[in-house]
Amino acid sequence: MKNITLSASEQLIEAARRRALLEHTTLNQQFRLWLQEYVCPPQQSRAALETIRMLRKGLTTGGRKFSRDEMNER
C-alpha cells in the first residue's frame, strides 16, 4: 500500500477524527472508502446517473414554459 500526504485545516481533521471514532472506524479507513467510491462509484450510483442521462435526452417541453404552480403540482 502506498502512502500519500494530504493537507487540511487542523480543526477539520480533528472533527473528522471525532466522527470516525463515533462510527468505530478511522479517518484513514474512511479516506480509503471515499477514494474507492471516487474512482469506481457503486453500481447503484452509476445506474442512477445513466437514468438521468437517458431522461435528459428524451424529455422536452416543446418550448412551453410552465408556471410555478404547474411545476410544483404532484
Side-chain angles (χ1 to χ4, degrees):
M1 196 171 296
K2 188 169 181 151
N3 288 327
I4 63 171
T5 301
L6 303 170
S7 298
S9 75
E10 192 172 327
Q11 294 86 0
L12 186 60
I13 292 170
E14 288 306 315
R17 283 187 175 145
R18 284 192 299 273
R19 179 174 172 179
L21 184 64
L22 290 172
E23 295 175 356
H24 306 287
T25 187
T26 64
L27 188 53
N28 195 35
Q29 179 60 30
Q30 289 302 312
F31 175 74
R32 283 191 205 116
L33 291 171
W34 171 82
L35 190 60
Q36 179 63 40
E37 287 185 9
Y38 182 75
V39 171
C40 183
Q43 180 61 34
Q44 185 177 9
S45 296
R46 285 193 297 267
L49 289 172
E50 184 57 33
T51 300
I52 291 169
R53 283 187 203 106
M54 286 177 20
L55 288 172
R56 284 184 175 162
K57 289 179 185 176
L59 294 178
T60 65
T61 63
R64 180 172 179 253
K65 300 284 185 182
F66 292 92
S67 70
R68 183 178 192 160
D69 288 336
E70 288 174 318
M71 291 176 24
N72 289 314
E73 283 181 6
R74 301 225 187 267

